[in-house]
């Protein structure tokens, strides 16, 4: 009564709880139905099935095998047995794996040759591994045939895309040897082994395959560890490796690979990785049987370049040696076989003759290209018929016959370098060199990337002068080079970061002089260099050393503007560096000079930066701008002129980079000038005739009186005061002793001028004087480095150093003339130049 009351008091279950209970019962029934498995093994097959926990570290209490109402962690089913079991979890594939082992004895009875079946069938959806152990006599060869898809060998640690994996091993004197791990979709069609074989096929839990994919057949003895056959039906590649890779190859064993290649394709072998063991007897090597070879087998060391460009089937064998017992080492080999179409029918051969070259090397190598194709045929360069590789280096003094095994030669380029040194100044000064890419290199069907000439000269003893075959244009932002190649000039002095710039044909620069070692790089930008190669070439001569780092000789074109800029444009002119431009102006043209900015833009830590413009004519005025002054406004120049730019020691971040432009326009002459010139010409003619008549008369008088020639100082004339008839029969006006042909400037006899105190008047010391020497050979010189005033700021309380005025504070030349004493009595009635003549004129 009481129990009934308690049940009634509880009342019926709420609807949510009732539904939850029904769902749990249904789920339990569903789990039981999903995981129930029946495996039955016939008594005739030597098969054993293992159901065991996988390698994942799941908690062991989450899932167990329920067999005959018992919870078991694993289950073994032998031949002739039947087992029905379930899993107590809905995802047994996460906890369990299944392994099927089948032993095949070919020693006591006939082998079951033919296609290998996957037995037993209807296995649970677990990760499955089928293992076949085949026992055979060591003198019997067994062959595993893989129809479709063929196999692809993978390296240790790699996984197959579909996770379907074959693992094949053999045995040598009861020692297991791993032949390799393979995936589907490859080139390996057969594997022949001597003696026993173990093959394992791994299938993931969601793979529904019901076939093994291989057959077993019997073959005669192969007398080696194994033979792997690789069949190519078109272009492709295969990566293969020695047995036990990456562990050592078995001692004194032999392993072979057979390659089946379509006759219209070519095959090449390249070793990706190898090591050698320590041999006591014999020698480790590889042997090739190449169709058409007269020296089969061809023997190569593992460090040699391996054959390439092979047509037809060929074999490759790896031979081990007797190893040192105490320190055996390890023989291992990883290699690749590339099969592809040749470059052209007949595979054209190119001759590269470098026998007359000196200190030169040339490399043909792959250029860095990105590609998305699954298979990318290799670009190989072959030296001779079969020696092929992805890189080839040619050296001077030799002659080469090369060919290409490549579907796209734009994937290769050429990089070459040549050194020219001058050690004997006398010999170099009489010799010139041509910077010219040899025609044998230009004719190759591969793009020339860089050809570098490195020119070396003794420091401060000799300099270099380069004259291009065609005048050059400097590459600037305002005018880009549009040719297929250009020259890049930079200093080759160690530690000197000086890049002169990039130059291409079609400009106005006809000569470049550099102070010391330089690197000249001819760089191409398109395959069209072959058609423009006639524009290349540069003649190098050796000249006396000069002070500037570089001098550019420019002859502008009247139809185009010339843009020029300082070296190291992106980084700034190096400290204390001077560069000059010698710019020619035709006599019927006027040059217009313009700078790209108003100031130099450099901040000097020590010294001063200068920009100097000077026309190449007598008494030419120098136009000078310092770093703290504006640059000259655009101006016209009527004569050849120099532009010199000299740097100070700049502060960090404030560098010197200048660009200027030169353009030519016809020189204008108005009608008034022409008329005046004509009138002046007539007057000049009449004046010349008068002078001629006068000169004739004077010559006659001089012949009669035997007086000295006009324009020559007569030191024998008595200089006493006139009045004594015995000495002067004529007055001074009628006497010719004071006549000079030309007195051009008072500076000619400036040393005869006397001061009020009787001493000579000297020019002011430390005052800038314009350059008056010969023009054109050397640029105007900036102030010496030691005289450049520091721009370092002074403390207000520090004493100010003695400074000249701003106009005189940066001297260019220093004049210190000697004092000249004059002899004679003064006569205030005689002009200054007609006082007593000196006994000696000093120059």
């Amino acid at each position: 009564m009481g129990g009934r009351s308690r049940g009634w008091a509880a009342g019926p279950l709420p609807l949510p709880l009732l539904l939850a209970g029904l769902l749990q019962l249904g789920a339990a029934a569903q789990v039981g139905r999903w995981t129930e498995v029946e495996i039955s093994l016939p008594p005739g097959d030597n098969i054993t099935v293992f159901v065991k926990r996988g390698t994942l570290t799941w908690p062991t209490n989450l899932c167990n095998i329920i067999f005959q109402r018992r919870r078991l962690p694993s289950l073994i089913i032998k031949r002739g047995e039947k087992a029905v079991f379930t899993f107590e979890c809905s995802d047994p594939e996460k906890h369990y794996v299944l392994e099927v082992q089948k032993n095949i004895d070919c020693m006591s009875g006939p082998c079951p040759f033919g296609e290998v079946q996957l037995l037993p069938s209807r296995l649970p959806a677990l990760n499955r591994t089928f293992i076949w152990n085949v026992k055979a006599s060591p003198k019997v060869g067994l062959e595993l045939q893989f129809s479709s898809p063929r196999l692809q060998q993978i390296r240790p640690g790699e996984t197959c895309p579909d996770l379907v994996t074959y693992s094949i091993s053999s045995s040598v004197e009861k020692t297991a040897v791993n032949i390799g791990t393979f995936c589907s979709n490859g080139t390996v069609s057969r594997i022949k082994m001597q003696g026993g074989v173990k093959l394992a096929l791994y299938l993931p839990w969601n793979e529904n395959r019901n076939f093994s994919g291989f057959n077993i057949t019997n073959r005669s003895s192969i007398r080696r560890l194994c033979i792997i056959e690789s069949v190519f039906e078109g272009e492709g590649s295969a990566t293969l490796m020695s047995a036990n890779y990456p562990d050592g190859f078995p001692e004194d064993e032999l392993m072979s690979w057979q390659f089946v290649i379509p006759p219209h394709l070519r095959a090449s072998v390249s070793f990706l990785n190898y090591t050698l063991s320590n041999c006591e007897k014999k020698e480790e090597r590889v042997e090739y049987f190449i169709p058409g070879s007269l020296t089969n087998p061809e023997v190569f060391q593992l460090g040699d370049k391996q054959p390439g460009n092979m047509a037809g089937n060929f074999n490759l064998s790896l031979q081990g040696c007797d190893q040192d017992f105490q320190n055996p080492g390890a023989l291992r080999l990883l290699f690749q076989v590339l099969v592809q179409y040749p470059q052209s029918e007949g595979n054209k051969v190119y001759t590269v003759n470098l026998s007359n070259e000196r200190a030169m090397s040339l490399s043909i190598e792959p250029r860095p290209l990105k590609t998305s194709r699954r298979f990318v045929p290799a670009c190989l360069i072959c030296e001779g018929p079969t020696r092929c590789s992805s890189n080839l280096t040619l050296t001077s003094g030799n002659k080469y016959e090369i060919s290409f095994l490549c579907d796209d030669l734009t994937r290769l380029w050429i990089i070459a370098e040549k050194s020219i040194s001058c050690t004997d100044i006398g010999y170099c000064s009489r010799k010139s060199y041509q910077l010219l890419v040899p025609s044998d290199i230009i004719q190759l069907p591969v793009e020339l990337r860089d050809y570098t000439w490195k020119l070396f000269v003794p420091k401060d003893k000799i300099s270099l002068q380069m004259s291009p075959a065609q005048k050059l244009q400097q590459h600037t932002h305002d005018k880009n080079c549009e040719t297929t190649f250009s020259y890049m000039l930079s200093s080759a002095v160690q530690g000197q970061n000086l890049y002169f710039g990039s130059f291409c044909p079609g400009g106005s620069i006809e000569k470049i002089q550099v102070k010391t070692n330089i690197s000249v790089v001819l760089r191409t930008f398109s395959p069209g260099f072959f058609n423009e190669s006639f524009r290349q070439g540069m003649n190098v001569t050796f000249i006396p050393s000069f002070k500037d780092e570089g001098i550019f000789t420019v002859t502008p074109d009247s139809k185009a503007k010339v843009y020029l800029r300082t070296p190291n444009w992106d980084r700034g002119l190096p400290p204390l560096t001077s560069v000059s431009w010698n710019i020619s102006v035709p006599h019927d043209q006027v040059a217009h000079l313009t700078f790209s900015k108003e100031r130099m833009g450099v901040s000097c830590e020590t010294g001063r930066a200068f920009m100097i413009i000077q026309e190449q004519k007598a008494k030419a005025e120098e136009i000078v701008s310092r770093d703290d002054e504006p640059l000259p406004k655009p101006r016209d120049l009527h004569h050849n002129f120099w532009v010199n730019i000299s740097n100070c020691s700049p502060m960090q971040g404030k560098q010197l980079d200048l660009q200027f432009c030169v353009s030519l326009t016809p020189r204008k002459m108005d009608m008034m000038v022409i008329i005046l010139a004509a009138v002046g010409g007539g007057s000049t003619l009449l004046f010349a005739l008068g002078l001629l008549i006068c000169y004739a008369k004077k010559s006659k008088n001089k012949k009669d009186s035997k007086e000295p020639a006009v324009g020559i100082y007569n030191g024998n004339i008595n200089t006493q005061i006139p009045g004594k008839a015995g000495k002067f029969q004529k007055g001074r006006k009628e006497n010719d002793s004071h006549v000079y042909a030309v007195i051009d400037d008072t500076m000619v006899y400036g040393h005869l001028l006397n001061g009020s105190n009787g001493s000579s008047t000297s020019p002011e010391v430390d005052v800038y004087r314009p350059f008056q020497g010969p023009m054109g050979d050397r640029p105007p010189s900036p102030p010496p480095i030691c005289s450049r005033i520091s721009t370092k700021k002074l403390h207000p309380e520090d004493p100010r150093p003695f400074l000249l005025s701003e106009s005189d504070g940066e001297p260019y030349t220093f004049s210190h003339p000697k004092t000249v004493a004059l002899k004679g009595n003064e006569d205030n009635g005689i002009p200054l130049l007609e006082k007593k003549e000196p006994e000696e004129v000093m120059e």
Side-chain angles (χ1 to χ4, degrees):
M1 185 68 181
R4 187 181 302 162
S5 300
R6 287 194 296 271
W8 179 258
L13 290 172
L15 182 60
L17 294 177
L18 180 60
L19 292 176
L22 292 175
L23 290 174
Q24 289 178 355
L25 290 175
Q30 187 73 3
V31 168
R33 184 167 60 86
W34 284 348
T35 57
E36 186 174 291
V37 180
E38 178 181 333
I39 296 177
S40 179
L41 301 179
D45 291 338
N46 191 8
I47 297 176
T48 304
V49 176
F50 298 87
V51 184
K52 52 188 178 180
R53 297 189 185 277
T55 57
L56 297 178
T57 57
W58 295 93
T60 56
N61 58 352
L62 294 180
C63 191
N64 289 290
I65 300 174
I66 301 177
F67 176 66
Q68 296 179 354
R69 298 184 181 182
R70 292 181 299 171
R71 285 187 172 86
L72 301 175
S74 61
L75 182 63
I76 300 176
I77 306 169
K78 300 180 180 180
R79 62 179 180 177
E81 295 180 352
K82 177 181 179 181
V84 179
F85 59 93
T86 61
F87 297 97
E88 61 177 355
C89 59
S90 60
D91 53 356
E93 71 277 2
K94 295 181 180 179
H95 304 271
Y96 284 90
V97 297
L98 190 144
E99 184 177 293
V100 179
Q101 291 187 7
K102 183 173 183 178
N103 297 321
I104 301 174
D105 189 359
C106 296
M107 299 183 68
S108 58
C111 287
F113 298 130
E115 184 179 357
V116 176
Q117 302 294 326
L118 287 183
L119 295 175
S121 58
R122 295 190 299 178
L123 294 175
L126 302 176
N127 293 334
R128 308 178 298 284
T129 302
F130 294 88
I131 300 175
W132 293 271
N133 289 306
V134 183
K135 294 182 180 180
S137 170
K139 300 180 180 181
V140 174
L142 296 176
E143 180 179 300
L144 305 178
Q145 296 180 348
F146 302 91
S147 53
S148 181
R150 298 188 178 102
L151 302 185
Q152 170 189 356
Q153 190 169 8
I154 61 174
R155 307 180 193 188
E158 295 181 345
T159 58
C160 299
D162 58 359
L163 300 180
V164 177
T165 307
Y166 292 88
S167 180
I168 302 171
S169 60
S170 181
S171 60
V172 176
E173 298 178 355
K174 298 182 181 181
T175 301
V177 178
N178 178 29
I179 302 300
T181 304
F182 302 84
C183 304
S184 302
N185 300 322
T187 61
V188 176
S189 58
R190 292 187 296 175
I191 299 179
K192 305 173 188 179
M193 285 171 286
Q194 186 81 15
V197 175
K198 180 180 180 181
L199 187 148
L201 170 61
Y202 171 81
L203 299 174
W205 67 273
N206 56 353
E207 175 65 40
N208 296 321
R209 178 182 293 197
N210 56 5
F211 61 93
S212 65
F214 70 95
N215 299 342
I216 298 179
T217 59
N218 186 17
R219 286 289 181 264
S220 59
S221 175
I222 60 175
R223 299 180 181 179
R224 63 198 67 203
L225 176 63
C226 68
I227 300 175
I228 298 177
E229 182 183 74
S230 181
V231 178
F232 290 85
E233 296 179 353
E235 286 189 313
S237 65
T239 301
L240 299 163
M241 56 207 75
S242 57
N244 271 355
Y245 189 87
D247 297 329
F249 188 68
E251 182 180 12
D252 195 23
E253 276 293 340
L254 177 64
M255 180 178 181
S256 297
W257 293 265
Q258 295 177 341
F259 297 97
V260 180
I261 311 295
H264 62 284
L265 299 178
R266 301 291 184 270
S268 300
V269 177
S270 58
F271 287 180
L272 305 180
N273 185 27
Y274 71 90
T275 59
L276 301 175
S277 58
N278 297 318
C279 298
E280 280 191 345
K281 297 180 181 180
K282 300 181 182 180
E283 185 180 22
E284 297 168 335
R285 64 188 185 274
V286 289
E287 296 180 354
Y288 290 86
F289 279 86
I290 302 174
S293 175
L294 301 178
T295 58
N296 282 326
E298 294 194 16
V299 180
F300 291 80
Q301 302 299 319
L302 273 72
D304 296 338
K305 283 187 177 180
Q306 303 304 309
N309 198 26
M310 294 178 287
N313 306 337
F314 69 96
N315 297 349
L316 166 62
S317 299
L318 173 65
Q319 175 67 61
C321 66
D322 293 335
Q323 299 173 353
D324 184 353
F325 176 77
Q326 295 181 348
N327 183 22
L331 170 62
R332 59 176 69 93
L333 174 62
L334 174 69
F335 67 98
Q336 185 181 54
V337 177
L338 292 169
V339 176
Q340 60 196 76
Y341 289 98
Q343 180 216 345
S344 61
E345 195 64 31
N347 212 14
K348 184 176 180 181
V349 177
Y350 299 88
T351 300
V352 181
N353 188 0
L354 305 180
S355 56
N356 295 326
E357 296 288 342
R358 295 293 180 270
M360 174 192 169
S361 65
L362 181 148
S363 176
I364 306 175
E365 58 189 48
R367 64 192 303 169
L369 292 177
K370 295 182 179 180
T371 179
S372 59
R373 291 192 295 173
R374 183 177 180 183
F375 168 70
V376 181
C379 271
L380 302 179
I381 310 101
C382 303
E383 181 188 352
T386 59
R387 295 183 60 189
C388 301
S389 61
S390 58
N391 293 271
L392 180 63
T393 299
L394 312 180
T395 56
S396 56
N398 300 300
K399 186 177 180 180
Y400 299 89
E401 302 285 338
I402 65 173
S403 59
F404 297 92
L405 185 61
C406 183
D407 66 329
D408 183 8
L409 289 174
T410 61
R411 294 166 52 198
L412 298 174
W413 62 20
I414 298 173
I415 296 176
E417 181 176 304
K418 182 175 182 177
S419 297
I420 300 175
S421 299
C422 170
T423 55
D424 186 346
I425 299 176
Y427 174 77
C428 294
S429 60
R430 300 188 303 269
K431 189 172 179 59
S432 64
Y433 294 89
Q434 284 289 334
L435 305 189
L436 198 67
V437 179
S439 58
D440 283 1
I441 299 176
I442 297 175
Q443 56 96 26
L444 292 176
V446 179
E447 178 185 350
L448 173 66
R449 171 60 172 174
D450 286 343
Y451 197 110
T452 302
W453 293 271
K454 291 189 174 180
L455 310 175
F456 301 98
V457 293
K459 185 179 179 182
D460 297 331
K461 294 183 179 180
I462 200 168
S463 294
L464 292 155
Q465 175 175 290
M466 292 166 287
S467 303
Q470 293 190 0
K471 291 192 293 185
L472 301 179
Q473 168 203 331
Q474 186 171 12
H475 179 83
T476 62
H477 296 300
D478 293 293
K479 192 172 184 179
N480 298 332
C481 284
E482 297 179 353
T483 54
T484 60
F485 72 97
S486 68
Y487 292 100
M488 295 180 293
L489 276 62
S490 58
S491 173
V493 177
Q494 187 174 6
Q496 185 180 39
N497 185 17
L498 180 58
Y499 175 64
F500 288 97
S502 178
F503 305 87
C504 58
S508 301
I509 302 174
E510 63 180 17
K511 191 163 55 179
I512 300 175
Q513 296 169 306
V514 293
K515 181 180 180 180
T516 185
N517 302 345
I518 190 170
S519 173
V520 180
V521 180
L522 185 149
R523 172 165 292 178
T524 64
F525 300 98
S526 72
F529 173 67
F530 178 83
N531 299 323
E532 276 196 356
S533 60
F534 68 94
R535 306 182 68 182
Q536 58 127 357
M538 194 176 289
N539 186 57
V540 176
T541 56
F542 301 92
I543 60 176
S545 181
F546 51 86
K547 294 183 178 180
D548 287 354
E549 291 297 334
I551 300 175
F552 299 85
T553 301
V554 183
T555 303
D557 186 352
S558 60
K559 299 179 181 179
K561 294 182 178 180
V562 180
Y563 291 91
L564 302 166
R565 66 183 185 186
T566 53
N568 274 28
W569 176 257
D570 297 328
R571 302 181 298 274
L573 194 65
L576 307 178
T577 299
S578 180
V579 185
S580 295
W581 290 262
N582 183 2
I583 302 172
S584 299
V585 181
H587 68 278
D588 59 343
Q589 302 282 323
V590 176
H592 188 70
L593 176 63
T594 306
F595 288 89
S596 61
K597 53 186 180 181
E598 296 181 356
R599 290 179 175 270
M600 293 187 188
V602 63
S603 295
C604 294
E605 185 173 356
T606 58
R608 286 292 192 192
F610 290 88
M611 195 287 305
I612 306 171
I613 304 171
Q614 185 178 31
E615 288 191 281
Q616 298 176 22
K617 64 177 182 177
K619 301 181 182 179
E621 177 188 1
E622 285 186 355
I623 303 166
V624 183
S625 294
R626 300 193 315 187
D627 54 279
D628 57 348
E629 298 172 346
L631 290 171
K633 299 294 183 182
R635 62 179 53 239
D636 292 335
L637 299 158
H638 296 75
H639 302 84
N640 300 346
F641 63 96
W642 285 101
V643 175
N644 173 271
I645 298 175
S646 303
N647 199 10
C648 57
S649 294
M651 299 176 63
Q652 187 69 25
K654 294 292 185 179
Q655 302 301 321
L656 174 57
D657 46 30
L658 285 180
Q659 178 175 308
F660 56 94
C661 172
V662 179
S663 59
L664 296 180
T665 56
R667 180 175 295 187
K668 296 180 180 180
M669 184 176 294
D670 57 14
M671 187 59 64
M672 182 61 68
V673 174
I674 296 174
I675 294 172
L676 292 176
V679 174
S683 302
T684 303
L685 180 59
L686 294 175
F687 181 69
L689 290 174
L691 285 179
L692 183 60
I693 295 170
C694 180
Y695 176 75
K697 289 182 179 181
K698 289 181 179 180
S699 298
K700 185 175 183 302
N701 293 334
K702 288 175 183 178
K703 289 180 181 179
D704 295 337
S705 61
K706 298 182 181 180
E707 294 292 338
V710 175
I712 300 177
Y713 173 72
N714 188 354
N716 298 321
I717 299 299
N718 192 305
T719 56
Q720 291 184 4
I721 300 175
K724 295 182 181 181
K727 296 293 182 182
F728 275 84
Q729 289 82 9
K730 296 188 292 183
R732 189 163 180 80
K733 293 183 180 179
E734 293 132 352
N735 193 303
D736 293 335
S737 61
H738 66 286
V739 176
Y740 288 82
V742 177
I743 300 178
D744 184 54
D745 198 315
T746 56
M747 292 301 293
V748 175
Y749 297 99
H751 58 281
L752 302 180
L753 297 175
N754 291 333
S756 59
N757 57 0
S759 62
S760 63
T761 304
S762 301
E764 186 179 356
V765 178
D766 291 355
V767 176
Y768 165 77
R769 299 177 64 189
F771 177 76
Q772 299 292 345
M775 303 301 297
D777 295 334
R778 290 291 179 267
S781 299
I785 295 174
C786 60
S787 69
R788 302 188 187 180
I789 300 174
S790 173
T791 58
K792 188 175 181 181
K793 294 184 178 180
L794 298 174
H795 192 274
E797 298 180 359
D798 292 340
R800 295 183 60 83
F802 172 74
L803 298 177
L804 299 174
S805 62
E806 186 168 323
S807 61
D808 300 335
E810 300 295 338
Y812 283 79
T813 59
F814 296 85
S815 177
H816 302 283
K818 297 180 181 179
T819 302
V820 179
L822 301 180
K823 296 182 180 180
N825 299 322
E826 293 185 353
D827 185 0
N828 296 331
I830 302 176
L832 182 61
L833 291 179
E834 296 180 0
K835 292 182 181 180
K836 289 195 64 175
E837 302 291 346
E839 295 181 357
E840 182 181 3
V841 178
M842 298 185 63
E843 295 182 355

